Amino acid sequence: MTVWNDGPALVTRLAAPEPGWITQADVIVVGSGIAGLTAALRLRQRVNRVLLVTKTVLDSGSTRWAQGGIAAALDPEDSPEEHLADTLVAGAGLCDEDAVRALVTEGPQRVRELVALGANFDRTADGEIALTREGGHHRDRIAHAGGDATGAEISRALIAALDAVRDDPGIEVLEHAVVLEVLTAAGPDGPRACGVTLHVIGEGTRDGVGAALGRAVVLATGGIGQVFRSTTNPREATGDGIAAALRAGAEVADLEFVQFHPTVLWLGQSARGQQPLISEAVRGEGAVLLDADGVRFMPEVHELAELAPRDVVAKAIVRRMAATGTEHVYLDARQLGGRFLRRRFPTIVAALSGHGYDLAEDLVPVAPAQHYHSGGVRVDRRGRSSLPGLYAVGEVSCTGVHGANRLASNSLLEGLVFAHRIADDLTERLGDGDLAQGEPASRPGRALLLPATARDVVQRAATSGPGVIRSAEGLAAAARTLATLAQEAPRRSQRLTTPGTAEWETTNLHAFATALTWVAALREETRGGHYREDFPATAERWHGRLVVRVAADARLSARFAPLPGTSPVVATGTVAGEG
Ligand SMILES: Cc1cc2nc3c(=O)[nH]c(=O)nc-3n(C[C@H](O)[C@H](O)[C@H](O)COP(=O)(O)OP(=O)(O)OC[C@H]3O[C@@H](n4cnc5c(N)ncnc54)[C@H](O)[C@@H]3O)c2cc1C
């Protein structure tokens, strides 16, 4: 087994005041996107006390921004087997086939339950759930709501279900509660999770930094988009869950597989943070990509043209931008007509109009931006991480479902399906008396923080190093910048008198960027969401996962976990053929 023990060192503890209050629950769920809300709602019916904490408000996170929809084989002509096949192709050889099988077979029932809960999906004239197609899918299997407001509707329905049980003493919700650390207890078999520390902007006793103790912790903290200069992810997506899991000693995997969405509105060089996404569904309905000279270029790149897997489209755009010396290409939806576009994509039409573009009349400038992270806290098919008592679900997790590249609209489904699995597993374990409450142990090492002003430096390093196009040289430069920030942390921490969310987030972004840059340099091949221009081919020897953790000396350590069989990518050349 190949092991690397020479990774960069991470901050072992975030500097923060000592907890001034304590609360107790059976299970603590962190995050209120589709994954956290689903887990909390299902657990509430089965365990005595659930605490749901979320960084800002309940509908924060990526879920409410999801446009295209949720994938499930709901059409009688479709089948889970076909959904499985499309997912495996997009995953470029690194999917965990059993995890995908769970996703696609349980998915249709989970979506029907969401409908029963009150989520209003768009319907056909005869009352069936309307299904459309997105990149990489060979069937119409994307259920959508409000045209292009699927995530907002799912979020609304789940929050309404939560509101209906708010008075139930079995569930407590804490908003404006930023989780800082996963607490661990010493046990005969090694450390295990026993709660979290969190900072709450609240009232009465629950104010400031406190500790929430629990028999299990479920991380559902979403993505990492804010580590890049431009992303489709909202401001809460700062990789807190991955950073906290690493500091607690849990394994993470597939960090290098970052999906860049091909069609994000290009707002100029100085644009930062969350940018408007133009869903793949617009291409699904027939919009095409044109280069600066007005030439359509995707048909010559892939048999699915504009509906090829996202990494293929994003790379083709970047190459075409380089060839034509421009910073964007154009999306042409003019042939779809204003009436259809306003009815089918009201959110996108309104967002573009706010920036002066008419989707029915204009060529719209688009460029790739960070969109989704396939990697995360490594979990098994029950959602258990390598740290006993710690679970992860949704975008923060790595179930192996997405492999090297997520198939469009599989992420909402993953949150839904695996939240149910976690609730089932925890119900059984807690019922059996497993996972007794542990006493938090103090964590060795000095507590540190990066100043909020370091965020821009981190974002620049992440964008130029492990961005869309990666190379040994670019990654080494990014690693040097990040190491310099880490070296300055002790001196800068001393000057910080009042640590706050901006500093905690920046330190988490730095930890994630450091780990991402390191593994992106280790993987010397191109596969899925990892494009190395100095290693442009997919290599059979890299048919496996890079699993990373923090070792006792605070340095990152990685091991290569080979996957069984031959990489189908290498055998067939489907996705790799584009690299
Ligand atoms: C613009 C856009 C469009 C998308 N379209 C689609 C689509 O059509 N189909 C699809 O399947 N997927 C889509 N995705 C991806 C999908 O929305 C996400 O992967 C999915 O919603 C993630 O759900 P989640 O529950 O894991 O995390 P999120 O919905 O991101 O929720 C994370 C939660 O954790 C909280 N949190 C974070 N850090 C902390 C902390 N330290 N302490 C406490 N709470 C914390 C956040 O506030 C938030 O409540 C899209 C994403 C974006 C950004």
Side-chain angles (χ1 to χ4, degrees):
M1 184 173 66
T2 314
V3 175
W4 296 264
N5 285 322
D6 56 347
L10 295 189
V11 165
T12 49
R13 258 185 318 135
L14 296 180
E18 284 300 311
W21 51 272
I22 294 185
T23 188
Q24 179 90 42
D26 288 311
V27 183
I28 299 155
V29 178
V30 187
S32 56
I34 190 169
L37 286 170
T38 305
L41 281 167
R42 196 162 167 90
L43 279 162
R44 182 201 69 86
Q45 300 163 336
R46 292 139 164 250
V47 304
N48 288 336
R49 203 170 127 64
V50 180
L51 175 65
L52 173 69
V53 303
T54 191
K55 197 185 226 177
T56 55
V57 289
L58 275 176
D59 73 346
S60 61
S62 290
T63 297
R64 81 174 167 94
W65 294 95
Q67 298 178 345
I70 185 163
L74 293 164
D75 188 325
E77 301 277 298
D78 195 4
S79 68
E81 278 303 312
E82 288 174 83
H83 189 180
L84 176 105
D86 287 343
T87 303
L88 296 183
V89 169
L94 294 197
C95 294
D96 178 324
E97 191 166 331
D98 289 336
V100 180
R101 202 169 285 284
L103 179 88
V104 298
T105 51
E106 294 165 24
Q109 178 58 20
R110 297 288 95 93
V111 173
R112 285 188 200 102
E113 287 164 8
L114 204 52
V115 173
L117 190 86
N120 291 312
F121 284 94
D122 296 336
R123 302 273 172 176
T124 60
D126 46 9
E128 297 298 324
I129 292 177
L131 300 169
T132 187
R133 196 175 296 204
E134 287 188 315
H137 291 271
H138 284 81
R139 289 262 186 203
D140 290 351
R141 66 168 72 97
I142 316 297
H144 45 86
D148 56 0
T150 312
E153 173 56 16
I154 291 175
S155 182
R156 184 207 60 75
L158 289 169
I159 291 171
L162 185 67
D163 281 341
V165 296
R166 279 275 193 132
D167 293 337
D168 180 341
I171 188 160
E172 185 185 0
V173 178
L174 276 181
E175 293 180 285
H176 303 288
V178 184
V179 164
L180 309 178
E181 304 288 6
V182 172
L183 292 167
T184 50
D189 306 320
R192 59 198 168 88
C194 65
V196 297
T197 55
L198 67 175
H199 177 266
V200 179
I201 302 172
E203 291 165 357
T205 49
R206 302 278 173 75
D207 192 25
V209 174
L213 304 184
R215 294 166 68 186
V217 174
V218 180
L219 290 176
T221 51
I224 51 85
Q226 295 291 330
V227 85
F228 294 94
R229 280 172 65 185
S230 93
T231 175
T232 62
N233 292 187
R235 68 188 171 101
E236 293 86 9
T238 51
D240 298 359
I242 292 181
L246 273 170
R247 288 193 294 268
E251 287 183 339
V252 300
D254 288 353
L255 293 193
E256 63 275 34
F257 299 114
V258 179
Q259 190 174 81
F260 293 86
H261 197 287
T263 51
V264 176
L265 181 63
W266 186 79
L267 289 172
Q269 267 190 332
S270 55
R272 291 280 191 288
Q274 190 179 20
Q275 325 271 319
L277 168 74
I278 306 175
S279 163
E280 211 142 33
V282 179
R283 281 173 280 136
E285 297 291 355
V288 296
L289 289 165
L290 305 178
D291 70 12
D293 302 321
V295 177
R296 190 177 172 205
F297 54 92
M298 281 311 299
E300 72 199 45
V301 174
H302 195 278
E303 51 158 356
L304 291 170
E306 277 82 2
L307 294 178
R310 283 186 182 162
D311 63 306
V312 175
V313 182
K315 278 178 241 169
I317 292 176
V318 170
R319 284 201 197 96
R320 191 52 69 128
M321 281 164 23
T324 54
T326 50
E327 295 197 354
H328 60 80
V329 294
Y330 292 105
L331 184 70
D332 184 2
R334 294 174 300 180
Q335 65 279 20
L336 300 181
R339 250 181 86 191
F340 172 78
L341 287 169
R342 278 191 297 278
R343 180 176 54 77
R344 176 71 180 85
F345 303 113
T347 314
I348 296 172
V349 168
L352 291 180
S353 154
H355 291 281
Y357 293 103
D358 181 345
L359 195 55
E361 298 283 338
D362 300 326
L363 289 178
V364 177
V366 292
Q370 192 283 342
H371 183 54
Y372 184 78
H373 188 220
S374 297
V377 180
R378 194 176 75 85
V379 294
D380 66 13
R381 286 184 283 285
R382 295 164 298 188
R384 298 183 188 184
S385 78
S386 63
L387 180 70
L390 181 68
Y391 288 72
V393 62
E395 193 164 339
V396 69
S397 70
C398 176
T399 57
V401 150
H402 307 298
N405 196 16
R406 173 192 66 139
L407 184 66
S409 288
N410 265 356
S411 42
L412 289 172
L413 190 69
E414 185 196 35
L416 199 57
V417 166
F418 284 86
H420 275 251
R421 291 185 145 243
I422 286 176
D424 291 350
D425 190 54
L426 275 172
T427 305
E428 200 178 311
R429 291 180 89 182
L430 297 187
D432 288 351
D434 196 0
L435 297 172
Q437 178 65 57
E439 186 65 29
S442 61
R443 192 171 294 168
R446 193 168 156 201
L448 291 173
L449 275 185
L450 266 74
T453 49
R455 183 187 283 232
D456 189 54
V457 184
V458 172
Q459 288 175 332
R460 282 171 189 275
T463 304
S464 62
V468 185
I469 296 182
R470 302 166 177 182
S471 67
E473 206 183 319
L475 290 163
R480 280 194 298 276
T481 305
L482 295 166
T484 305
L485 285 177
Q487 280 154 16
E488 290 170 356
R491 188 169 48 80
R492 291 186 175 217
S493 285
Q494 271 168 358
R495 281 197 238 135
L496 276 171
T497 46
T498 47
T501 303
E503 288 79 21
W504 292 319
E505 285 184 344
T506 303
T507 310
N508 287 335
L509 286 169
H510 176 267
F512 176 75
T514 300
L516 167 64
T517 304
W518 186 53
V519 292
L522 293 181
R523 186 178 282 276
E524 295 182 328
E525 67 157 354
T526 285
R527 189 189 288 266
H530 174 67
Y531 177 50
R532 286 283 300 256
E533 66 178 346
D534 46 352
F535 294 96
T538 302
E540 181 57 28
R541 74 190 173 91
W542 282 106
H543 181 223
R545 289 185 210 299
L546 278 166
V547 180
V548 175
R549 67 182 179 87
V550 173
D553 60 359
R555 298 183 83 87
L556 289 173
S557 126
R559 65 184 168 85
F560 183 69
L563 287 169
T566 303
S567 172
V569 174
V570 175
T572 64
T574 45
V575 176
E578 302 303 321

